Amino acid sequence: MGTAPTQCPSGITANFHAKFDSRTEFSCSSFPSTLNLSKLNSHPTSKGLVNKIGSLPDIDDLFWEKAPTPILDVVENPTHLKSLSIKELKLLADEIRLELSSTKSKTQRSFKASLAAVELTVALHYVFHAPVDKILWDAGEQTYAHKILTGRRILMPTLRQKNGLSGYTSRTESEYDPFGAGHGCNSISAGLGMAVARDIKGKRERVVTVINNTTTMAGQVYEAMSNAGYLDSNLVVILNDSRHSLHPKIEEGPKTSINALSSTLSRLQSSKSFRKFREAAKDVTKRIGMGMHELAAKVDEYARGMMGPLGSTLFEELGLYYIGPVDGRKLEDLICVLQEVASLDSMGPVLIHVITEENQCSEDNQKKVTVEKQQEGLSLNDIYSFSNDGHCRTYSDCLVEALVMEAEKEKDIVVVHAGTEMDPSLKLFRERFSDRFFDVGMAEQHAVTFSAGLSCGGLKPFCIIPSAFLQRAYDQVVHDVDRQRIPVRFVITSAGLVGSDGPLQCGAFDITFMSCLPNMIVMAASDEDELIDMVATATRIDDRPVCFRYPRGALVRTDYPIHGGSALEIGTGKVLVEGKDVALLGYGAMVQNCLKAQALLAKLGINVTVADARFCKPLDIKLLRWLCSNHDILITVEEGSVGGFSSHVAQFIALDGQLDGRLKWRPIVLPDNYIEHASPKEQLALAGLTGHHIAATTLSLLGRTRRYF
């Protein structure tokens, strides 16, 4: 076939050597200057997508200058991959990388995990028939190539933006996302449920789940594998091994090698003939009896353990047939193994070990990604705080410096960290006190009970867990800590709204689920000074558990000094501004927005009292009675769900009779719905928690018009 010039969407003409049928021919006219939303909405790959997104990005954002991608330009959905040759699929993988790199430069997001999994994604969609076959992912960061291939390429510039694409898989976004992924470790459980439902209903679709290194640290993965082995339903589990670990010492050890022999063995293990021979041998040994079946099973396990990498027999013990390792950069190997597995009608659960080594980034680049997440919360405050090196100082920086100062004075202080990634700030503590720092990865349940054990051993553990991840360890918080009154100090990070991470990592519920525990002391810092004081306070509490929260984002003050903290009197708040008639009682970060509302109202001649509660449990009863007695209106403000701080205030003032007279009380909390990804400033506006919203509520209670704002 001759070479024909091809006009790309960006206006670049390219020569393309490939075989296409009539469906794949395109020209510049294929890309209209105006986008028809109704046409996009009717496309099968975008089912419900436009309703979810609301609007498409600006046309100038869609067609910025980039390298030509002629094959990708004609792939509207995974069906179009079926007619491509291996050579064309390899070119497609290269073009997807170019596309991701272009999107990365446009959105300033880290696509490292997705870049490493491009060939795996292409192979999955080439072999399996989504959306009939179900492909589930544990981690959203791996799914950007999947999004591109499933009709969402045009919307990639809107990734993690308001009304844009989610950074994770989403059932409401695409029919190609059969299950939502965010915190990891759920895909095998959900996939097994789908597989069992398929069997009960007599259907034949395939179910594939993709897990990664980080999620293999979570216990739910092994619970699901064990149950899958017991149920013996057809299920394909792919371990996307990027050779990334949270623990540097592990990375220094031997890595799983991939060579021609391992590739050949993987093909052999996955072949239909080998699997049938193995099953036939099992049947024969069972019939012979006299312990032959058990002996043969041991020989089989030993032989496969010798062929496979270190630890491969673990999956066999759980009941999954292990295949691997497979080179994740070799499409032909991936497709061969996946096709063999897909061709078997009765195979039981299979685990395919795929090596997709991420492009190594420097430690500074990895730090930059995490710092960007922390600094996303800048919009919480209009004031920015920078250190001498230009780094925007965050609450996490403040926390770690306070912990270091306390640890220098108190040798029993230890830090336990759990979550998907460690904040760079914590490296300071790890470097200073390496034997007193424990990063357990995505093992929040273990982190809580481990901390309880450390406390029982006479140490003072600070257990640092993001709010959304602490939810997974709630049973341990209740029974292993609070019920036994064990003094564990919970530091709840990423509290409240978290910007582009949306509802999946939003810390909306910790105030509610921690403050309902009988023995728990619950605090929230309104600024960096209070955060330092709460570290000091928690250090001195030795008879019960305590927790305190702080948001993502920059510090409130630009002249932040490093100083030691002072222990707070338990259950005491403070008045920041004294006025009359109206009292704003803020909790945590929302104290700053109460002060903004007070400044706005002061311009209208309305004198407002602003108080900082500091404690949700125990409440400052004396402060509450004073606010109720000296003001006609009391408004409580928190960045948490219904049932939190405001509910505790309501419980007290109702029982105390404060609502029996002239007092008007109104709570301002997060709305009873999940707030989708957007900038922190946009999320606060959507939640009605900005200074303007608080001021507008005050005016409404005063019978004044809201037109001032």
Side-chain angles (χ1 to χ4, degrees):
M1 182 177 178
T3 300
T6 301
Q7 189 70 20
C8 300
S10 56
I12 301 173
T13 300
N15 290 324
F16 176 56
H17 305 269
K19 298 177 181 179
F20 289 123
D21 56 27
S22 58
R23 293 176 303 164
T24 59
E25 294 176 357
F26 65 94
S27 64
C28 189
S29 61
S30 302
F31 300 90
S33 57
T34 59
L35 295 166
N36 189 327
L37 280 177
S38 60
K39 183 177 180 181
L40 179 62
N41 196 29
S42 64
H43 197 283
T45 63
S46 58
K47 181 180 178 182
L49 183 57
V50 173
N51 291 332
K52 163 77 173 172
I53 303 304
S55 62
L56 290 172
D58 187 270
I59 194 72
D60 292 333
D61 292 334
L62 295 177
F63 301 122
W64 64 90
E65 193 70 21
K66 59 180 181 179
T69 53
I71 303 180
L72 181 58
D73 291 340
V74 297
V75 176
E76 296 182 355
N77 60 63
T79 305
H80 295 158
L81 271 64
K82 310 297 182 185
S83 60
L84 300 181
S85 66
I86 294 293
K87 182 179 180 181
E88 291 164 349
L89 289 172
K90 290 180 178 179
L91 291 173
L92 175 63
D94 292 337
E95 291 180 10
I96 292 174
R97 280 198 172 83
L98 288 173
E99 184 78 8
L100 287 172
S101 298
S102 297
T103 306
K104 177 183 177 182
S105 64
K106 194 76 173 178
T107 62
Q108 299 299 311
R109 302 292 176 188
S110 175
F111 286 2
K112 186 171 64 172
S114 285
L115 286 167
V118 168
E119 281 81 6
L120 174 60
T121 306
V122 170
L124 282 170
H125 282 294
Y126 178 79
V127 173
F128 295 97
H129 300 275
V132 177
D133 290 337
K134 312 301 180 186
I135 302 175
L136 291 75
W137 303 79
D138 248 4
E141 290 78 8
Q142 301 177 94
T143 64
Y144 300 151
H146 163 77
K147 286 177 182 281
I148 287 174
L149 290 175
T150 54
R152 288 169 277 184
R153 178 191 182 192
I154 196 172
L155 294 167
M156 286 300 289
T158 71
L159 190 70
R160 293 175 177 260
Q161 297 176 13
K162 182 181 179 182
N163 296 327
L165 287 179
S166 170
Y168 311 93
T169 55
S170 170
R171 283 164 52 86
T172 59
E173 187 177 284
S174 172
E175 61 183 338
Y176 289 94
D177 295 350
F179 202 80
H183 290 175
C185 81
N186 64 359
S187 68
I188 302 179
S189 298
L192 180 60
M194 294 178 187
V196 171
R198 170 203 62 203
D199 297 342
I200 292 174
K201 289 181 173 290
K203 297 182 179 180
R204 298 175 60 86
E205 71 264 22
R206 300 292 183 184
V207 180
V208 183
T209 72
V210 184
I211 63 176
N212 64 9
N213 305 72
T214 305
T215 56
T216 55
M217 303 183 75
Q220 183 181 350
V221 169
Y222 301 99
E223 294 171 5
M225 286 185 186
S226 178
N227 193 218
Y230 173 76
L231 294 174
D232 204 35
S233 290
N234 288 355
L235 175 70
V236 180
V237 178
I238 296 176
L239 171 56
N240 178 15
D241 184 358
S242 61
R243 292 177 167 176
H244 169 71
S245 172
L246 295 173
H247 302 283
K249 290 181 181 179
I250 295 178
E251 290 183 336
E252 293 168 2
K255 295 182 178 180
T256 302
S257 61
I258 307 174
N259 49 39
L261 177 60
S262 64
S263 177
T264 302
L265 289 174
S266 296
R267 289 172 180 253
L268 174 63
Q269 290 170 324
S270 62
S271 68
K272 186 183 297 185
S273 56
F274 181 81
R275 292 293 303 276
K276 287 184 176 180
F277 171 77
R278 190 169 180 260
E279 294 302 318
K282 286 183 179 180
D283 290 338
V284 170
T285 56
K286 283 181 181 178
R287 292 172 185 174
I288 294 174
M290 297 182 296
M292 285 298 295
H293 177 67
E294 289 75 11
L295 177 61
K298 289 181 179 179
V299 172
D300 176 66
E301 179 184 335
Y302 178 76
R304 287 168 56 73
M306 291 290 289
M307 290 190 300
L310 189 66
S312 61
T313 55
L314 168 65
F315 304 111
E316 295 277 344
E317 290 289 344
L318 290 170
L320 280 74
Y321 181 79
Y322 176 88
I323 299 171
V326 182
D327 191 339
R329 295 300 293 269
K330 291 187 177 180
L331 260 172
E332 54 268 49
D333 286 359
L334 285 169
I335 290 172
C336 176
V337 170
L338 291 173
Q339 283 178 333
E340 290 288 352
V341 170
S343 67
L344 294 171
D345 293 327
S346 179
M347 60 180 179
V350 173
L351 183 134
I352 305 173
H353 184 184
V354 178
I355 305 294
T356 59
E357 188 166 1
E358 294 178 356
N359 296 326
Q360 296 298 315
C361 295
S362 67
E363 187 173 314
D364 290 339
N365 286 338
Q366 290 179 330
K367 178 177 179 180
K368 181 175 180 287
V369 172
T370 309
V371 167
E372 284 173 354
K373 278 192 173 185
Q374 280 290 335
Q375 295 179 4
E376 235 187 341
L378 285 172
S379 297
L380 274 171
N381 307 296
D382 294 331
I383 302 173
Y384 296 81
S385 174
F386 290 89
S387 61
N388 292 332
D389 61 0
H391 164 59
C392 181
R393 295 183 58 75
T394 67
Y395 277 97
S396 291
D397 294 325
C398 177
L399 168 77
V400 174
E401 288 166 4
L403 282 172
V404 168
M405 294 181 72
E406 292 294 332
E408 287 174 343
K409 296 181 291 184
E410 177 60 75
K411 65 179 181 179
D412 289 334
I413 288 179
V414 293
V415 168
V416 178
H417 174 266
T420 54
E421 58 187 12
M422 186 179 72
D423 191 286
S425 303
L426 285 169
K427 292 179 181 178
L428 172 63
F429 190 95
R430 186 178 66 183
E431 291 168 359
R432 294 288 294 274
F433 309 101
S434 59
D435 58 335
R436 292 156 65 181
F437 180 83
F438 307 92
D439 183 18
V440 302
M442 194 184 290
E444 296 84 3
Q445 294 171 308
H446 165 65
V448 171
T449 307
F450 175 56
S451 298
L454 290 170
S455 181
C456 291
L459 299 177
K460 294 187 174 184
F462 280 79
C463 185
I464 304 176
I465 305 180
S467 175
F469 289 87
L470 184 59
Q471 294 164 187
R472 297 205 289 211
Y474 191 57
D475 181 70
Q476 284 69 29
V477 173
V478 174
H479 292 290
D480 296 344
V481 177
D482 191 76
R483 187 175 61 81
Q484 301 184 65
R485 221 179 153 94
I486 295 175
V488 173
R489 298 145 191 88
F490 292 100
V491 182
I492 304 173
T493 68
S494 296
L497 301 170
V498 290
S500 65
D501 279 328
L504 282 161
Q505 295 192 25
C506 176
F509 309 113
D510 61 271
I511 305 173
T512 299
F513 67 67
M514 295 299 274
S515 64
C516 69
L517 300 177
N519 296 318
M520 187 72 65
I521 295 174
V522 183
M523 305 181 287
S526 66
D527 59 21
E528 58 275 12
D529 288 326
E530 282 191 352
L531 181 59
I532 293 172
D533 290 342
M534 287 178 183
V535 171
T537 304
T539 301
R540 288 156 181 77
I541 296 174
D542 291 318
D543 62 340
R544 64 178 62 191
V546 58
C547 69
F548 56 93
R549 69 180 337 228
Y550 66 85
R552 286 187 185 177
L555 301 178
V556 175
R557 293 164 50 189
T558 56
D559 58 341
Y560 164 68
I562 300 176
H563 61 84
S566 301
L568 303 172
E569 182 181 348
I570 303 300
T572 59
K574 62 180 179 180
V575 176
L576 302 177
V577 179
E578 189 169 346
K580 62 180 182 179
D581 298 328
V582 178
L584 301 178
L585 178 58
Y587 183 67
M590 287 300 99
V591 170
Q592 302 304 322
N593 285 2
C594 288
L595 290 170
K596 292 178 183 178
Q598 182 268 335
L600 291 170
L601 293 167
K603 296 177 181 178
L604 302 178
I606 301 172
N607 296 320
V608 176
T609 295
V610 177
D612 177 4
R614 297 197 293 200
F615 289 83
C616 175
K617 189 173 187 179
L619 288 169
D620 188 339
I621 293 174
K622 183 178 179 181
L623 174 62
L624 275 173
R625 284 178 174 155
W626 181 83
L627 292 173
C628 293
S629 300
N630 292 277
H631 302 84
D632 294 331
I633 296 172
L634 173 64
I635 300 174
T636 53
V637 188
E638 64 183 301
E639 194 176 356
S641 67
V642 175
F645 170 70
S646 295
S647 295
H648 282 265
V649 171
Q651 174 82 358
F652 169 74
I653 62 177
L655 294 177
D656 201 47
Q658 299 294 336
L659 295 177
D660 298 343
R662 59 184 174 82
L663 180 69
K664 294 180 181 179
W665 168 74
R666 294 291 185 274
I668 299 180
V669 301
L670 287 175
D672 193 23
N673 59 267
Y674 295 102
I675 297 177
E676 295 298 329
H677 47 277
S679 71
K681 185 175 181 179
E682 290 168 334
Q683 284 190 323
L684 283 172
L686 289 169
L689 286 172
T690 66
H692 285 81
H693 285 91
I694 299 169
T697 299
T698 303
L699 289 177
S700 177
L701 290 169
L702 290 171
R704 303 271 294 268
T705 178
R706 300 188 185 193
R707 63 182 175 83
Y708 299 103
F709 304 110

